[in-house]
Amino acid sequence: MSTPYPFTAIVGQDDLRLGLLLNAVSPAVGGVLVRGEKGTAKSTAVRALAALMPEVSVVPGCRFSCDPVSPDPACPDGPHAEAAGVARAARTVELPVGASEDRLVGALDIERALSEGVKAFEPGLLADAHRGILYVDEVNLLHDHLVDLLLDAAAMGASYVEREGVSVRHAARFLLVGTMNPEEGELRPQLLDRFGLTVEVAASRDTDERVEVVRRRLAYDDDPEGFAARWAEEESALRERIAAARALLPRVVLGDGVLRQIAATCAAFEVDGMRADIVMARTATALAAWAGREEVTADDVRQAALLALPHRRRRNPFDAPGLDEDKLDQTLDEAGPQENQENNDGDDDPDPGPDGGGDGGGGGGVPPQADGDRTPPPAEDDDTPSQAPDSAPDAPGRSAGAEQQPVAAAEPFRTKMLSVPGLGEGAAGRRSRARTAHGRTTGAVRPQGALTKLHLSATVQAAAPHQRSRGRSGRGLVVRRDDLRQATREGREGNLVLFVVDASGSMAARQRMSAVKGAVLSLLLDAYQRRDKVGLVTFRGKEAEVALPPTSSVDAAAARLESLPTGGRTPLAAGLLKAHDVLRVERLRDPSRRPLLVVVTDGRATGGPEPVALAGRAARLHQAEGTASVVVDCESGYVRLGLAGELARELGGTAVTLDELRADSIAGLVKDVTAAGRAA
């Protein structure tokens, strides 16, 4: 076993280390989610924490790590006779992103359960992590149903395995740590709320600190054991401090005044539910114990709020986690004891927070617009202003084709659902119909490999004709492996939604482009909620570009959309061909994920020889490959040419206007976009 990097040798990352240590002191805090860019010691810190955890005493031979002092009465390996416990180090169990449900919760031998009535159970990772640390790297990439199982077990302290009426329960109390890179996609707000604390990590910009990081890492790589020995004294002191804080924790007093500050803070920041209040109370108590105090102070409440509230204030995926520290200080002062308020009356310059105060992320999640105009392209590259009545410039003297300052998106709205036709087999999501591990049962098949979802009636029907030949004499059913039937289920899958957005001069009217961006932002929000991957292709001037390769991070797509400039000709064919290239590569990378092409344009095509005919041929490439597509028609004004509808027919999809895209629109939108296009 390799020597882990010492926890005390980690340079900087104070919030990360504090969040982990508070959970080590009080696992009831509820775990910690570590968000940050790659290469910031997230995994190193989690693995190093295990060496600081106190040893645990377990029942000899128990696969579920029962405590000999108070063994689990429902332990599948029990009941346990009184015996001396065996001490061992606390485990750190890593849950891989590609793990199956059986690997996480354990597997039940259905054949023996049906024929012998025996609960033959093979424990999973939740059992291994009991009384230790469960570490999930890239938790945002974990399948949703696994995250649900994981967080349910963490909340209840137990894991339940159900297979056709046969159930097994065992204790599963662990310190849950998840790490993620927000660039690769966000967690749903419901799942974010289940993590007790969250910390943001980033690489230091201080030269001396970066030098020290490199120096220590190189020393560790050259001689791991020698490096760890040099930090042994600090590690021992930190281990003793954790044990002392755990012993002090039950004696820490949470006064009514402090409790009122906690409740007032959660109310002031409008967090949903009551979990935030409870987590803050537990975190503040752990902070007091960590400091060696028996009473919680306002400073503990402030630090607890900075750790427990930022991720609970997100209202949509485009909001960056953060907390207004000035508002936090004001709320704590107002809710604090009266004498504190009197003492602060003359303080015109309160101390700033650790980061200098200010709003740590009031929302938006998009970069601010740049100041100043951009340099316009040559005049001969412009669209003819007369092509669209509403494409006139907003400012005098500016042509429709000139590159314009990016405009803000209009308010997003709830969209009608667009789905891919047929039955897929992609990753679990919430958009199109698919064969999935969860959902309604639609049939039965012979299992390929391990049986996970038993179809009971089909299994009984397969075994029934053979009972006499198998010599059945008792009440039990004689079942063989060949009799078992796997249930086939139908649920929903996530798709690859590739946006192809027209950013040319014909779309450059500020009011229209604001509405277009609002519509795409709405579709991005819908893609986030339905667990899709998204990509963004834009076209303007003479070419198209991939503004964002397919990713699970819809907030990254929103940021690219917000800063999108407009102007120039309309190379529609280039946009469609670029989208074709992107989809071709993605089919090789992830063949089971079906694409949905969303083209946002008024249908115009200019520039080069025969631009309209070339765009039609590019569109028919998508139709030939069966790509589900929808064209969002952005044409407006009194004169409408209907070019977007023609493009939709060439794609084999359907066209919808911006108004029809709204979920509350009176006009209906056919869900099966490809079938609707072909019917037209």
Side-chain angles (χ1 to χ4, degrees):
M1 181 177 178
S2 60
T3 303
Y5 192 92
F7 190 87
T8 51
I10 296 173
V11 179
Q13 306 297 12
D14 294 339
D15 288 344
L16 169 60
R17 291 187 292 164
L18 179 61
L20 293 172
L21 290 170
L22 291 178
N23 274 274
V25 171
S26 176
V29 166
V32 58
L33 175 65
V34 185
R35 298 164 44 93
E37 59 196 30
K38 52 188 177 292
T40 49
K42 300 188 296 292
S43 301
T44 299
V46 176
R47 296 186 178 107
L49 180 66
L52 301 175
M53 299 289 286
E55 289 187 337
V56 295
S57 179
V58 299
V59 173
C62 178
R63 297 174 297 167
F64 301 88
S65 302
C66 279
D67 187 346
V69 177
S70 56
D72 181 9
C75 176
D77 285 355
H80 297 297
E82 293 186 7
V86 177
R88 64 161 175 80
R91 292 172 179 160
T92 296
V93 177
E94 296 192 30
L95 175 62
V97 171
S100 65
E101 180 180 340
D102 284 346
R103 184 71 186 100
L104 176 63
V105 301
L108 190 65
D109 191 331
I110 300 297
E111 184 177 355
R112 292 188 63 190
L114 287 177
S115 59
E116 303 175 25
V118 176
K119 294 182 181 179
F121 181 69
E122 184 66 29
L125 294 177
L126 291 180
D128 293 341
H130 180 47
R131 305 176 67 195
I133 301 173
L134 182 59
Y135 171 46
V136 189
D137 193 14
E138 306 293 354
V139 65
N140 52 325
L141 303 182
L142 199 65
H143 285 303
D144 282 354
H145 73 283
L146 293 183
V147 178
D148 291 333
L149 291 170
L150 180 65
L151 295 178
D152 285 343
M156 296 185 297
S159 175
Y160 293 85
V161 182
E162 303 277 349
R163 292 289 189 274
E164 299 296 339
V166 181
S167 64
V168 173
R169 173 209 169 275
H170 65 82
R173 293 184 295 276
F174 46 82
L175 193 166
L176 177 62
V177 182
T179 59
M180 60 175 284
N181 184 348
E183 294 178 356
E184 296 174 340
E186 286 286 356
L187 281 172
R188 303 197 313 265
Q190 299 93 326
L191 301 183
L192 280 173
D193 185 54
R194 300 296 289 274
F195 282 94
L197 311 179
T198 185
V199 295
E200 297 280 340
V201 295
S204 173
R205 298 298 182 259
D206 180 79
T207 302
D208 293 337
E209 195 167 287
R210 295 175 74 98
V211 167
E212 186 61 23
V213 170
V214 175
R215 181 182 291 117
R216 293 186 186 183
R217 186 69 208 191
L218 293 177
Y220 170 77
D221 291 341
D222 289 340
D223 183 10
E225 294 183 0
F227 184 83
R230 291 197 293 274
W231 290 89
E233 185 175 345
E234 288 83 352
E235 291 282 287
S236 178
L238 189 57
R239 191 179 298 109
E240 292 175 1
R241 185 177 177 184
I242 292 174
R246 279 190 169 191
L248 179 62
L249 187 66
R251 304 198 302 274
V252 176
V253 177
L254 187 69
D256 289 343
V258 171
L259 195 56
R260 179 171 292 276
Q261 285 183 312
I262 292 173
T265 301
C266 293
F269 285 100
E270 300 179 351
V271 295
D272 295 333
M274 296 297 298
R275 184 175 284 117
D277 304 62
I278 297 171
V279 170
M280 273 190 65
R282 289 172 174 167
T283 305
T285 304
L287 281 163
W290 179 246
R293 289 183 274 101
E294 294 189 5
E295 187 173 356
V296 177
T297 66
D299 288 338
D300 296 328
V301 175
R302 187 183 192 281
Q303 184 64 54
L306 293 174
L307 293 171
L309 294 188
H311 62 300
R312 293 185 165 89
R313 297 194 62 242
R314 298 189 66 194
R315 291 296 182 266
N316 64 64
F318 313 132
D319 291 339
L323 211 62
D324 185 336
E325 296 190 27
D326 289 338
K327 180 179 178 180
L328 173 61
D329 291 334
Q330 180 181 353
T331 302
L332 292 175
D333 288 342
E334 292 175 352
Q338 186 65 34
E339 56 269 21
N340 288 352
Q341 296 182 26
E342 293 174 357
N343 293 337
N344 290 337
D345 284 344
D347 188 0
D348 295 329
D349 187 18
D351 292 335
D355 297 324
D359 192 347
V366 294
Q369 296 181 19
D371 294 327
D373 291 341
R374 299 176 182 269
T375 304
E380 63 269 19
D381 211 25
D382 296 346
D383 273 338
T384 303
S386 62
Q387 286 182 335
D390 63 341
S391 64
D394 293 299
R398 174 179 285 176
S399 67
E403 183 174 305
Q404 297 187 11
Q405 190 80 5
V407 299
E411 188 70 20
F413 51 85
R414 188 168 65 91
T415 66
K416 292 192 174 182
M417 189 177 78
L418 307 174
S419 63
V420 178
L423 194 63
E425 296 181 346
R430 299 182 178 181
R431 182 172 298 278
S432 305
R433 294 173 55 227
R435 285 183 286 268
T436 59
H438 297 271
R440 62 185 182 90
T441 301
T442 58
V445 296
R446 291 181 180 272
Q448 301 293 326
L451 178 71
T452 56
K453 298 290 182 181
L454 177 74
H455 195 296
L456 184 58
S457 60
T459 299
V460 172
Q461 289 176 2
H466 308 290
Q467 296 306 295
R468 180 174 297 179
S469 62
R470 292 173 181 172
R472 174 187 173 188
S473 58
R475 298 176 59 185
L477 192 67
V478 181
V479 180
R480 299 286 187 263
R481 174 69 186 175
D482 291 342
D483 300 328
L484 299 179
R485 295 294 182 270
Q486 175 86 19
T488 58
R489 297 173 182 260
E490 182 178 312
R492 293 280 173 178
E493 68 176 359
N495 297 112
L496 166 59
V497 182
L498 182 61
F499 294 93
V500 181
V501 180
D502 184 349
S504 65
S506 66
M507 302 281 289
R510 297 184 69 85
Q511 184 176 3
R512 188 203 297 191
M513 199 62 201
S514 177
V516 168
K517 285 188 175 182
V520 178
L521 199 64
S522 304
L523 289 167
L524 283 171
L525 181 59
D526 181 68
Y528 166 80
Q529 294 169 340
R530 301 190 187 281
R531 312 304 291 167
D532 295 318
K533 289 180 68 175
V534 297
L536 179 62
V537 173
T538 63
F539 59 94
R540 56 184 290 274
K542 296 181 179 179
E543 59 184 15
E545 66 171 346
V546 181
L548 183 72
T551 175
S552 297
S553 179
V554 295
D555 51 342
R560 302 293 173 87
L561 177 72
E562 187 75 9
S563 59
L564 178 67
T566 58
R569 294 188 181 274
T570 312
L572 177 58
L576 295 175
L577 290 174
K578 182 68 71 175
H580 183 268
D581 291 341
V582 171
L583 294 181
R584 177 178 55 81
V585 173
E586 285 301 308
R587 284 190 181 98
L588 297 175
R589 289 177 177 171
D590 190 359
S592 64
R593 188 181 289 269
R594 298 185 295 162
L596 174 62
L597 184 68
V598 179
V599 185
V600 185
T601 182
D602 56 9
R604 301 177 188 274
T606 60
E610 300 183 342
V612 176
L614 185 59
R617 289 196 294 271
R620 287 191 291 274
L621 282 176
H622 290 281
Q623 183 182 25
E625 295 187 354
T627 302
S629 58
V630 59
V631 178
V632 180
D633 185 358
C634 303
E635 191 174 32
S636 59
Y638 295 105
V639 179
R640 294 176 181 255
L641 304 179
L643 298 177
E646 291 291 336
L647 175 63
R649 282 188 284 274
E650 297 280 7
L651 286 167
T654 188
V656 296
T657 65
L658 292 176
D659 289 336
E660 292 172 338
L661 194 60
R662 294 179 178 270
D664 54 0
S665 171
I666 298 176
L669 178 63
V670 179
K671 293 182 179 180
D672 188 336
V673 293
T674 299
R678 289 172 180 169

